Amino acid sequence: MAAGVGITPLRALFETLPEDPVLIHWARRPEDLVLRHEIDTVAARRGARVYYSVSHPAGYRLALDAETLRGLVPDVARRVCYLCGPPDWTSAAQAALRAAGVPAHRIHHESFAL
């Protein structure tokens, strides 16, 4: 899971992690999804899933909560999760993953902001 510029390190992980990676990227606007073409190419090549969330325009924002995460990734509680984004977002993402049943030892995070 990435937010903003946190997508940079997670783009590399998305390409190299084994098995069935899922990437969820939150951004403010569609034009802020700067690596979208590369990520879509990796997803297509690997048969992996990727989801995008933008705050504007309205109607394209994914909630950062346990229900949404379980809806997108039903087995999220059994996965190892990597997070990178601004500090407040990273804290919220950790809380959502914990509420979705992901054990703390399977959540790896880095705050990354400009």
Side-chain angles (χ1 to χ4, degrees):
M1 295 168 45
V5 296
I7 192 61
T8 306
L10 290 189
R11 183 259 180 252
L13 279 177
F14 186 59
E15 186 168 25
T16 60
L17 284 174
E19 300 181 28
D20 177 32
V22 178
L23 178 65
I24 309 171
H25 183 197
W26 280 265
R28 288 189 181 123
R29 304 165 302 172
E31 55 269 25
D32 295 332
L33 299 169
V34 295
L35 299 178
R36 186 171 187 169
H37 177 72
E38 287 181 39
I39 291 166
D40 288 344
T41 300
V42 170
R45 187 177 71 245
R46 295 195 67 184
R49 292 176 286 158
V50 61
Y51 301 98
Y52 298 102
S53 174
V54 293
S55 300
H56 303 286
Y60 293 95
R61 183 179 175 274
L62 295 170
L64 184 52
D65 61 25
E67 182 179 351
T68 300
L69 295 176
R70 284 190 300 259
L72 296 173
V73 189
D75 64 344
V76 67
R78 294 189 307 270
R79 289 180 173 260
V80 175
C81 301
Y82 298 89
L83 313 173
C84 192
D88 290 344
W89 177 88
T90 301
S91 294
Q94 283 181 276
L97 286 167
R98 294 289 291 130
V102 180
H105 70 276
R106 289 193 189 150
I107 301 172
H108 306 279
H109 63 89
E110 184 70 38
S111 293
F112 194 78
L114 290 176

